[in-house]
mmCIF file of all heavy atoms in Angstrom:
data_model
loop_
_atom_site.group_PDB
_atom_site.id
_atom_site.type_symbol
_atom_site.label_atom_id
_atom_site.label_comp_id
_atom_site.label_asym_id
_atom_site.label_seq_id
_atom_site.Cartn_x
_atom_site.Cartn_y
_atom_site.Cartn_z
ATOM 1 N N LEU A 81 -1.139 -45.654 -132.228
ATOM 2 C CA LEU A 81 -1.611 -46.201 -130.955
ATOM 3 C C LEU A 81 -1.747 -47.706 -131.091
ATOM 4 O O LEU A 81 -2.627 -48.203 -131.778
ATOM 5 C CB LEU A 81 -2.950 -45.585 -130.586
ATOM 6 C CG LEU A 81 -2.896 -44.108 -130.229
ATOM 7 C CD1 LEU A 81 -4.281 -43.583 -129.933
ATOM 8 C CD2 LEU A 81 -1.972 -43.858 -129.051
ATOM 9 N N CYS A 82 -0.842 -48.395 -130.446
ATOM 10 C CA CYS A 82 -0.772 -49.831 -130.667
ATOM 11 C C CYS A 82 -0.461 -50.537 -129.360
ATOM 12 O O CYS A 82 0.574 -50.273 -128.744
ATOM 13 C CB CYS A 82 0.313 -50.098 -131.705
ATOM 14 S SG CYS A 82 0.673 -51.806 -131.951
ATOM 15 N N GLU A 83 -1.356 -51.395 -128.950
ATOM 16 C CA GLU A 83 -1.127 -52.193 -127.739
ATOM 17 C C GLU A 83 -0.680 -51.373 -126.544
ATOM 18 O O GLU A 83 0.198 -51.764 -125.788
ATOM 19 C CB GLU A 83 -0.064 -53.266 -128.031
ATOM 20 C CG GLU A 83 -0.616 -54.399 -128.859
ATOM 21 C CD GLU A 83 0.275 -55.629 -128.814
ATOM 22 O OE1 GLU A 83 1.469 -55.477 -128.507
ATOM 23 O OE2 GLU A 83 -0.231 -56.720 -129.058
ATOM 24 N N SER A 84 -1.243 -50.184 -126.409
ATOM 25 C CA SER A 84 -0.853 -49.370 -125.262
ATOM 26 C C SER A 84 -1.840 -49.584 -124.132
ATOM 27 O O SER A 84 -2.901 -50.170 -124.318
ATOM 28 C CB SER A 84 -0.852 -47.895 -125.654
ATOM 29 O OG SER A 84 -0.446 -47.734 -126.980
ATOM 30 N N THR A 85 -1.486 -49.076 -122.973
ATOM 31 C CA THR A 85 -2.431 -49.117 -121.874
ATOM 32 C C THR A 85 -3.505 -48.060 -122.121
ATOM 33 O O THR A 85 -3.311 -47.149 -122.937
ATOM 34 C CB THR A 85 -1.729 -48.777 -120.553
ATOM 35 O OG1 THR A 85 -1.228 -47.440 -120.668
ATOM 36 C CG2 THR A 85 -0.593 -49.729 -120.281
ATOM 37 N N ARG A 86 -4.600 -48.156 -121.388
ATOM 38 C CA ARG A 86 -5.693 -47.216 -121.576
ATOM 39 C C ARG A 86 -5.217 -45.787 -121.335
ATOM 40 O O ARG A 86 -5.572 -44.861 -122.057
ATOM 41 C CB ARG A 86 -6.826 -47.572 -120.604
ATOM 42 C CG ARG A 86 -8.117 -46.891 -120.937
ATOM 43 C CD ARG A 86 -9.211 -47.234 -119.945
ATOM 44 N NE ARG A 86 -10.127 -46.099 -119.819
ATOM 45 C CZ ARG A 86 -11.071 -45.835 -120.705
ATOM 46 N NH1 ARG A 86 -11.234 -46.604 -121.747
ATOM 47 N NH2 ARG A 86 -11.867 -44.782 -120.540
ATOM 48 N N ALA A 87 -4.384 -45.630 -120.315
ATOM 49 C CA ALA A 87 -3.888 -44.295 -120.001
ATOM 50 C C ALA A 87 -3.055 -43.741 -121.156
ATOM 51 O O ALA A 87 -3.182 -42.573 -121.539
ATOM 52 C CB ALA A 87 -3.061 -44.331 -118.715
ATOM 53 N N ASP A 88 -2.222 -44.583 -121.722
ATOM 54 C CA ASP A 88 -1.389 -44.148 -122.845
ATOM 55 C C ASP A 88 -2.248 -43.758 -124.041
ATOM 56 O O ASP A 88 -1.974 -42.778 -124.733
ATOM 57 C CB ASP A 88 -0.425 -45.268 -123.265
ATOM 58 C CG ASP A 88 0.696 -45.442 -122.258
ATOM 59 O OD1 ASP A 88 0.849 -44.539 -121.402
ATOM 60 O OD2 ASP A 88 1.384 -46.470 -122.317
ATOM 61 N N VAL A 89 -3.295 -44.563 -124.288
ATOM 62 C CA VAL A 89 -4.174 -44.263 -125.405
ATOM 63 C C VAL A 89 -4.825 -42.909 -125.199
ATOM 64 O O VAL A 89 -4.829 -42.052 -126.091
ATOM 65 C CB VAL A 89 -5.262 -45.363 -125.546
ATOM 66 C CG1 VAL A 89 -6.347 -44.926 -126.516
ATOM 67 C CG2 VAL A 89 -4.633 -46.662 -126.016
ATOM 68 N N LEU A 90 -5.338 -42.695 -123.982
ATOM 69 C CA LEU A 90 -6.017 -41.430 -123.694
ATOM 70 C C LEU A 90 -5.079 -40.248 -123.879
ATOM 71 O O LEU A 90 -5.421 -39.262 -124.535
ATOM 72 C CB LEU A 90 -6.571 -41.446 -122.260
ATOM 73 C CG LEU A 90 -7.899 -42.191 -122.116
ATOM 74 C CD1 LEU A 90 -8.299 -42.286 -120.657
ATOM 75 C CD2 LEU A 90 -8.985 -41.483 -122.938
ATOM 76 N N SER A 91 -3.883 -40.363 -123.320
ATOM 77 C CA SER A 91 -2.982 -39.217 -123.422
ATOM 78 C C SER A 91 -2.516 -39.031 -124.857
ATOM 79 O O SER A 91 -2.297 -37.906 -125.305
ATOM 80 C CB SER A 91 -1.801 -39.362 -122.450
ATOM 81 O OG SER A 91 -0.863 -40.267 -122.982
ATOM 82 N N GLY A 92 -2.403 -40.136 -125.597
ATOM 83 C CA GLY A 92 -2.047 -40.038 -127.012
ATOM 84 C C GLY A 92 -3.098 -39.277 -127.796
ATOM 85 O O GLY A 92 -2.791 -38.356 -128.558
ATOM 86 N N ILE A 93 -4.358 -39.644 -127.585
ATOM 87 C CA ILE A 93 -5.450 -38.972 -128.298
ATOM 88 C C ILE A 93 -5.508 -37.498 -127.910
ATOM 89 O O ILE A 93 -5.645 -36.615 -128.760
ATOM 90 C CB ILE A 93 -6.795 -39.678 -127.996
ATOM 91 C CG1 ILE A 93 -6.789 -41.083 -128.609
ATOM 92 C CG2 ILE A 93 -7.965 -38.875 -128.544
ATOM 93 C CD1 ILE A 93 -8.020 -41.906 -128.305
ATOM 94 N N GLU A 94 -5.365 -37.259 -126.592
ATOM 95 C CA GLU A 94 -5.381 -35.868 -126.112
ATOM 96 C C GLU A 94 -4.325 -35.038 -126.833
ATOM 97 O O GLU A 94 -4.596 -33.953 -127.335
ATOM 98 C CB GLU A 94 -5.122 -35.820 -124.588
ATOM 99 C CG GLU A 94 -6.293 -36.293 -123.739
ATOM 100 C CD GLU A 94 -7.533 -35.431 -123.949
ATOM 101 O OE1 GLU A 94 -7.373 -34.222 -124.170
ATOM 102 O OE2 GLU A 94 -8.655 -35.989 -123.918
ATOM 103 N N SER A 95 -3.113 -35.587 -126.881
ATOM 104 C CA SER A 95 -2.048 -34.756 -127.443
ATOM 105 C C SER A 95 -2.220 -34.583 -128.949
ATOM 106 O O SER A 95 -1.829 -33.565 -129.502
ATOM 107 C CB SER A 95 -0.667 -35.322 -127.088
ATOM 108 O OG SER A 95 -0.523 -36.603 -127.636
ATOM 109 N N PHE A 96 -2.847 -35.558 -129.610
ATOM 110 C CA PHE A 96 -3.120 -35.393 -131.040
ATOM 111 C C PHE A 96 -4.164 -34.297 -131.267
ATOM 112 O O PHE A 96 -4.070 -33.502 -132.204
ATOM 113 C CB PHE A 96 -3.602 -36.715 -131.643
ATOM 114 C CG PHE A 96 -3.992 -36.633 -133.097
ATOM 115 C CD1 PHE A 96 -3.025 -36.537 -134.085
ATOM 116 C CD2 PHE A 96 -5.331 -36.638 -133.476
ATOM 117 C CE1 PHE A 96 -3.370 -36.461 -135.435
ATOM 118 C CE2 PHE A 96 -5.697 -36.554 -134.816
ATOM 119 C CZ PHE A 96 -4.709 -36.466 -135.795
ATOM 120 N N LEU A 97 -5.149 -34.248 -130.363
ATOM 121 C CA LEU A 97 -6.274 -33.337 -130.570
ATOM 122 C C LEU A 97 -6.022 -31.925 -130.057
ATOM 123 O O LEU A 97 -6.792 -31.010 -130.350
ATOM 124 C CB LEU A 97 -7.536 -33.905 -129.915
ATOM 125 C CG LEU A 97 -8.107 -35.175 -130.579
ATOM 126 C CD1 LEU A 97 -9.288 -35.699 -129.794
ATOM 127 C CD2 LEU A 97 -8.503 -34.894 -132.032
ATOM 128 N N LYS A 98 -4.969 -31.730 -129.276
ATOM 129 C CA LYS A 98 -4.690 -30.385 -128.744
ATOM 130 C C LYS A 98 -4.582 -29.397 -129.895
ATOM 131 O O LYS A 98 -3.948 -29.695 -130.914
ATOM 132 C CB LYS A 98 -3.372 -30.384 -127.946
ATOM 133 C CG LYS A 98 -3.581 -30.558 -126.451
ATOM 134 C CD LYS A 98 -2.296 -30.293 -125.683
ATOM 135 C CE LYS A 98 -1.247 -31.288 -126.085
ATOM 136 N NZ LYS A 98 -0.072 -31.395 -125.263
ATOM 137 N N PRO A 99 -5.198 -28.244 -129.765
ATOM 138 C CA PRO A 99 -5.245 -27.297 -130.896
ATOM 139 C C PRO A 99 -3.864 -26.978 -131.466
ATOM 140 O O PRO A 99 -3.712 -26.841 -132.665
ATOM 141 C CB PRO A 99 -5.878 -26.050 -130.276
ATOM 142 C CG PRO A 99 -6.651 -26.552 -129.106
ATOM 143 C CD PRO A 99 -5.942 -27.758 -128.594
ATOM 144 N N LEU A 100 -2.873 -26.880 -130.637
ATOM 145 C CA LEU A 100 -1.561 -26.493 -131.157
ATOM 146 C C LEU A 100 -0.621 -27.695 -131.326
ATOM 147 O O LEU A 100 0.586 -27.532 -131.497
ATOM 148 C CB LEU A 100 -0.917 -25.458 -130.230
ATOM 149 C CG LEU A 100 -1.636 -24.099 -130.246
ATOM 150 C CD1 LEU A 100 -1.041 -23.156 -129.220
ATOM 151 C CD2 LEU A 100 -1.579 -23.468 -131.639
ATOM 152 N N SER A 101 -1.207 -28.869 -131.276
ATOM 153 C CA SER A 101 -0.382 -30.071 -131.356
ATOM 154 C C SER A 101 0.394 -30.130 -132.668
ATOM 155 O O SER A 101 -0.098 -29.724 -133.721
ATOM 156 C CB SER A 101 -1.278 -31.308 -131.256
ATOM 157 O OG SER A 101 -0.549 -32.453 -131.608
ATOM 158 N N ARG A 102 1.613 -30.634 -132.590
ATOM 159 C CA ARG A 102 2.405 -30.753 -133.818
ATOM 160 C C ARG A 102 2.108 -32.079 -134.526
ATOM 161 O O ARG A 102 2.537 -32.288 -135.647
ATOM 162 C CB ARG A 102 3.899 -30.648 -133.485
ATOM 163 C CG ARG A 102 4.263 -29.268 -132.941
ATOM 164 C CD ARG A 102 5.761 -29.166 -132.649
ATOM 165 N NE ARG A 102 6.563 -29.446 -133.843
ATOM 166 C CZ ARG A 102 7.550 -30.334 -133.874
ATOM 167 N NH1 ARG A 102 7.843 -31.034 -132.801
ATOM 168 N NH2 ARG A 102 8.254 -30.515 -134.976
ATOM 169 N N LEU A 103 1.395 -32.944 -133.849
ATOM 170 C CA LEU A 103 1.105 -34.253 -134.451
ATOM 171 C C LEU A 103 0.169 -34.097 -135.645
ATOM 172 O O LEU A 103 -0.848 -33.410 -135.568
ATOM 173 C CB LEU A 103 0.472 -35.180 -133.416
ATOM 174 C CG LEU A 103 1.417 -35.678 -132.324
ATOM 175 C CD1 LEU A 103 0.626 -36.357 -131.219
ATOM 176 C CD2 LEU A 103 2.440 -36.640 -132.914
ATOM 177 N N GLN A 104 0.524 -34.722 -136.759
ATOM 178 C CA GLN A 104 -0.287 -34.567 -137.962
ATOM 179 C C GLN A 104 -1.052 -35.831 -138.340
ATOM 180 O O GLN A 104 -2.111 -35.773 -138.930
ATOM 181 C CB GLN A 104 0.637 -34.190 -139.143
ATOM 182 C CG GLN A 104 1.324 -32.854 -138.960
ATOM 183 C CD GLN A 104 2.445 -32.709 -139.963
ATOM 184 O OE1 GLN A 104 3.449 -33.385 -139.887
ATOM 185 N NE2 GLN A 104 2.264 -31.810 -140.921
ATOM 186 N N VAL A 105 -0.480 -36.980 -138.017
ATOM 187 C CA VAL A 105 -1.105 -38.234 -138.425
ATOM 188 C C VAL A 105 -1.300 -39.144 -137.215
ATOM 189 O O VAL A 105 -0.375 -39.348 -136.431
ATOM 190 C CB VAL A 105 -0.228 -38.970 -139.471
ATOM 191 C CG1 VAL A 105 -0.879 -40.284 -139.873
ATOM 192 C CG2 VAL A 105 0.015 -38.091 -140.688
ATOM 193 N N LEU A 106 -2.517 -39.637 -137.075
ATOM 194 C CA LEU A 106 -2.815 -40.593 -136.010
ATOM 195 C C LEU A 106 -3.217 -41.920 -136.634
ATOM 196 O O LEU A 106 -4.102 -41.967 -137.500
ATOM 197 C CB LEU A 106 -3.959 -40.062 -135.135
ATOM 198 C CG LEU A 106 -4.466 -41.016 -134.042
ATOM 199 C CD1 LEU A 106 -3.435 -41.162 -132.929
ATOM 200 C CD2 LEU A 106 -5.797 -40.525 -133.471
ATOM 201 N N ILE A 107 -2.567 -43.005 -136.210
ATOM 202 C CA ILE A 107 -2.951 -44.339 -136.673
ATOM 203 C C ILE A 107 -3.602 -45.051 -135.494
ATOM 204 O O ILE A 107 -3.016 -45.139 -134.417
ATOM 205 C CB ILE A 107 -1.732 -45.136 -137.156
ATOM 206 C CG1 ILE A 107 -0.934 -44.331 -138.184
ATOM 207 C CG2 ILE A 107 -2.170 -46.463 -137.751
ATOM 208 C CD1 ILE A 107 0.434 -44.926 -138.478
ATOM 209 N N ILE A 108 -4.790 -45.531 -135.722
ATOM 210 C CA ILE A 108 -5.570 -46.054 -134.584
ATOM 211 C C ILE A 108 -6.402 -47.241 -135.064
ATOM 212 O O ILE A 108 -6.804 -47.294 -136.233
ATOM 213 C CB ILE A 108 -6.463 -44.899 -134.015
ATOM 214 C CG1 ILE A 108 -7.166 -45.313 -132.726
ATOM 215 C CG2 ILE A 108 -7.479 -44.424 -135.033
ATOM 216 C CD1 ILE A 108 -7.811 -44.135 -132.012
ATOM 217 N N SER A 109 -6.634 -48.203 -134.201
ATOM 218 C CA SER A 109 -7.427 -49.358 -134.611
ATOM 219 C C SER A 109 -8.921 -49.028 -134.551
ATOM 220 O O SER A 109 -9.335 -48.097 -133.860
ATOM 221 C CB SER A 109 -7.130 -50.551 -133.713
ATOM 222 O OG SER A 109 -7.692 -50.329 -132.441
ATOM 223 N N TYR A 110 -9.710 -49.798 -135.290
ATOM 224 C CA TYR A 110 -11.158 -49.597 -135.269
ATOM 225 C C TYR A 110 -11.705 -49.681 -133.856
ATOM 226 O O TYR A 110 -12.530 -48.874 -133.436
ATOM 227 C CB TYR A 110 -11.856 -50.651 -136.148
ATOM 228 C CG TYR A 110 -11.794 -50.349 -137.624
ATOM 229 C CD1 TYR A 110 -10.850 -50.965 -138.442
ATOM 230 C CD2 TYR A 110 -12.678 -49.448 -138.200
ATOM 231 C CE1 TYR A 110 -10.788 -50.689 -139.802
ATOM 232 C CE2 TYR A 110 -12.633 -49.161 -139.558
ATOM 233 C CZ TYR A 110 -11.684 -49.783 -140.360
ATOM 234 O OH TYR A 110 -11.625 -49.498 -141.691
ATOM 235 N N GLU A 111 -11.223 -50.676 -133.095
ATOM 236 C CA GLU A 111 -11.733 -50.895 -131.747
ATOM 237 C C GLU A 111 -11.420 -49.696 -130.849
ATOM 238 O O GLU A 111 -12.291 -49.184 -130.146
ATOM 239 C CB GLU A 111 -11.136 -52.168 -131.147
ATOM 240 C CG GLU A 111 -11.615 -53.454 -131.806
ATOM 241 C CD GLU A 111 -11.049 -53.666 -133.207
ATOM 242 O OE1 GLU A 111 -9.983 -53.077 -133.516
ATOM 243 O OE2 GLU A 111 -11.684 -54.380 -134.010
ATOM 244 N N THR A 112 -10.166 -49.254 -130.884
ATOM 245 C CA THR A 112 -9.778 -48.132 -130.031
ATOM 246 C C THR A 112 -10.539 -46.875 -130.427
ATOM 247 O O THR A 112 -10.990 -46.112 -129.569
ATOM 248 C CB THR A 112 -8.259 -47.882 -130.146
ATOM 249 O OG1 THR A 112 -7.589 -49.132 -130.034
ATOM 250 C CG2 THR A 112 -7.779 -46.955 -129.068
ATOM 251 N N PHE A 113 -10.696 -46.666 -131.730
ATOM 252 C CA PHE A 113 -11.429 -45.479 -132.164
ATOM 253 C C PHE A 113 -12.857 -45.498 -131.626
ATOM 254 O O PHE A 113 -13.369 -44.499 -131.122
ATOM 255 C CB PHE A 113 -11.452 -45.364 -133.689
ATOM 256 C CG PHE A 113 -12.215 -44.154 -134.160
ATOM 257 C CD1 PHE A 113 -11.569 -42.930 -134.243
ATOM 258 C CD2 PHE A 113 -13.568 -44.223 -134.460
ATOM 259 C CE1 PHE A 113 -12.272 -41.800 -134.626
ATOM 260 C CE2 PHE A 113 -14.271 -43.099 -134.839
ATOM 261 C CZ PHE A 113 -13.626 -41.883 -134.934
ATOM 262 N N ARG A 114 -13.492 -46.663 -131.729
ATOM 263 C CA ARG A 114 -14.886 -46.744 -131.279
ATOM 264 C C ARG A 114 -15.004 -46.384 -129.810
ATOM 265 O O ARG A 114 -15.890 -45.652 -129.402
ATOM 266 C CB ARG A 114 -15.421 -48.154 -131.537
ATOM 267 C CG ARG A 114 -16.933 -48.262 -131.403
ATOM 268 C CD ARG A 114 -17.374 -49.699 -131.387
ATOM 269 N NE ARG A 114 -16.834 -50.407 -130.237
ATOM 270 C CZ ARG A 114 -16.250 -51.595 -130.290
ATOM 271 N NH1 ARG A 114 -16.128 -52.225 -131.429
ATOM 272 N NH2 ARG A 114 -15.791 -52.164 -129.189
ATOM 273 N N MET A 115 -14.051 -46.875 -129.025
ATOM 274 C CA MET A 115 -14.114 -46.627 -127.581
ATOM 275 C C MET A 115 -13.959 -45.149 -127.236
ATOM 276 O O MET A 115 -14.484 -44.678 -126.252
ATOM 277 C CB MET A 115 -13.034 -47.447 -126.875
ATOM 278 C CG MET A 115 -13.420 -48.901 -126.702
ATOM 279 S SD MET A 115 -12.241 -49.728 -125.653
ATOM 280 C CE MET A 115 -10.935 -50.070 -126.796
ATOM 281 N N HIS A 116 -13.207 -44.449 -128.057
ATOM 282 C CA HIS A 116 -12.906 -43.052 -127.713
ATOM 283 C C HIS A 116 -13.458 -42.069 -128.733
ATOM 284 O O HIS A 116 -13.009 -40.926 -128.801
ATOM 285 C CB HIS A 116 -11.385 -42.878 -127.598
ATOM 286 C CG HIS A 116 -10.770 -43.801 -126.587
ATOM 287 N ND1 HIS A 116 -10.846 -43.583 -125.232
ATOM 288 C CD2 HIS A 116 -10.099 -44.956 -126.745
ATOM 289 C CE1 HIS A 116 -10.231 -44.571 -124.596
ATOM 290 N NE2 HIS A 116 -9.774 -45.435 -125.482
ATOM 291 N N SER A 117 -14.448 -42.504 -129.513
ATOM 292 C CA SER A 117 -14.903 -41.687 -130.643
ATOM 293 C C SER A 117 -15.434 -40.330 -130.199
ATOM 294 O O SER A 117 -15.336 -39.347 -130.941
ATOM 295 C CB SER A 117 -15.973 -42.436 -131.430
ATOM 296 O OG SER A 117 -17.065 -42.721 -130.596
ATOM 297 N N SER A 118 -15.971 -40.263 -128.979
ATOM 298 C CA SER A 118 -16.583 -38.996 -128.557
ATOM 299 C C SER A 118 -15.549 -37.867 -128.516
ATOM 300 O O SER A 118 -15.879 -36.706 -128.707
ATOM 301 C CB SER A 118 -17.234 -39.165 -127.187
ATOM 302 O OG SER A 118 -16.248 -39.566 -126.260
ATOM 303 N N LYS A 119 -14.296 -38.239 -128.312
ATOM 304 C CA LYS A 119 -13.246 -37.217 -128.249
ATOM 305 C C LYS A 119 -13.021 -36.518 -129.594
ATOM 306 O O LYS A 119 -12.459 -35.439 -129.664
ATOM 307 C CB LYS A 119 -11.927 -37.855 -127.802
ATOM 308 C CG LYS A 119 -12.004 -38.557 -126.465
ATOM 309 C CD LYS A 119 -10.783 -38.241 -125.658
ATOM 310 C CE LYS A 119 -10.996 -38.483 -124.179
ATOM 311 N NZ LYS A 119 -11.952 -39.536 -123.828
ATOM 312 N N PHE A 120 -13.448 -37.204 -130.660
ATOM 313 C CA PHE A 120 -13.158 -36.660 -131.992
ATOM 314 C C PHE A 120 -14.317 -35.822 -132.540
ATOM 315 O O PHE A 120 -14.313 -35.427 -133.689
ATOM 316 C CB PHE A 120 -12.865 -37.806 -132.977
ATOM 317 C CG PHE A 120 -11.591 -38.531 -132.687
ATOM 318 C CD1 PHE A 120 -11.573 -39.602 -131.798
ATOM 319 C CD2 PHE A 120 -10.404 -38.150 -133.291
ATOM 320 C CE1 PHE A 120 -10.396 -40.272 -131.527
ATOM 321 C CE2 PHE A 120 -9.224 -38.813 -133.018
ATOM 322 C CZ PHE A 120 -9.212 -39.884 -132.137
ATOM 323 N N GLU A 121 -15.316 -35.585 -131.693
ATOM 324 C CA GLU A 121 -16.526 -34.966 -132.213
ATOM 325 C C GLU A 121 -16.370 -33.503 -132.599
ATOM 326 O O GLU A 121 -17.090 -32.991 -133.440
ATOM 327 C CB GLU A 121 -17.675 -35.126 -131.208
ATOM 328 C CG GLU A 121 -18.389 -36.456 -131.388
ATOM 329 C CD GLU A 121 -19.309 -36.771 -130.217
ATOM 330 O OE1 GLU A 121 -19.509 -35.880 -129.370
ATOM 331 O OE2 GLU A 121 -19.802 -37.913 -130.167
ATOM 332 N N ARG A 122 -15.414 -32.825 -131.968
ATOM 333 C CA ARG A 122 -15.376 -31.391 -132.267
ATOM 334 C C ARG A 122 -14.689 -31.139 -133.620
ATOM 335 O O ARG A 122 -13.813 -31.886 -134.046
ATOM 336 C CB ARG A 122 -14.684 -30.625 -131.146
ATOM 337 C CG ARG A 122 -13.242 -30.967 -130.936
ATOM 338 C CD ARG A 122 -12.607 -29.953 -129.986
ATOM 339 N NE ARG A 122 -11.204 -30.307 -129.803
ATOM 340 C CZ ARG A 122 -10.763 -31.001 -128.778
ATOM 341 N NH1 ARG A 122 -11.581 -31.399 -127.830
ATOM 342 N NH2 ARG A 122 -9.474 -31.289 -128.686
ATOM 343 N N PRO A 123 -15.139 -30.071 -134.294
ATOM 344 C CA PRO A 123 -14.600 -29.761 -135.618
ATOM 345 C C PRO A 123 -13.084 -29.559 -135.558
ATOM 346 O O PRO A 123 -12.564 -29.086 -134.546
ATOM 347 C CB PRO A 123 -15.297 -28.454 -136.000
ATOM 348 C CG PRO A 123 -16.474 -28.345 -135.100
ATOM 349 C CD PRO A 123 -16.146 -29.083 -133.848
ATOM 350 N N GLY A 124 -12.415 -29.940 -136.598
ATOM 351 C CA GLY A 124 -10.970 -29.733 -136.640
ATOM 352 C C GLY A 124 -10.173 -30.888 -136.058
ATOM 353 O O GLY A 124 -8.949 -30.875 -136.070
ATOM 354 N N SER A 125 -10.888 -31.900 -135.540
ATOM 355 C CA SER A 125 -10.150 -33.029 -134.966
ATOM 356 C C SER A 125 -9.579 -33.914 -136.064
ATOM 357 O O SER A 125 -8.639 -34.659 -135.827
ATOM 358 C CB SER A 125 -11.064 -33.841 -134.044
ATOM 359 O OG SER A 125 -12.187 -34.297 -134.774
ATOM 360 N N CYS A 126 -10.167 -33.823 -137.226
ATOM 361 C CA CYS A 126 -9.691 -34.656 -138.325
ATOM 362 C C CYS A 126 -10.107 -34.014 -139.645
ATOM 363 O O CYS A 126 -11.261 -33.663 -139.837
ATOM 364 C CB CYS A 126 -10.306 -36.051 -138.187
ATOM 365 S SG CYS A 126 -10.053 -37.086 -139.625
#
Side-chain angles (χ1 to χ4, degrees):
L81 292 178
C82 173
E83 285 197 338
S84 325
T85 62
R86 194 181 149 79
D88 287 347
V89 168
L90 279 174
S91 78
I93 293 176
E94 287 299 326
S95 62
F96 176 74
L97 292 176
K98 264 191 298 194
L100 291 175
S101 168
R102 295 182 58 232
L103 289 169
Q104 296 166 291
V105 179
L106 175 71
I107 308 168
I108 187 169
S109 72
Y110 281 99
E111 291 72 22
T112 313
F113 179 85
R114 193 192 63 227
M115 281 189 279
H116 303 283
S117 60
S118 59
K119 302 222 160 30
F120 292 87
E121 274 167 9
R122 63 169 180 263
S125 58
C126 169

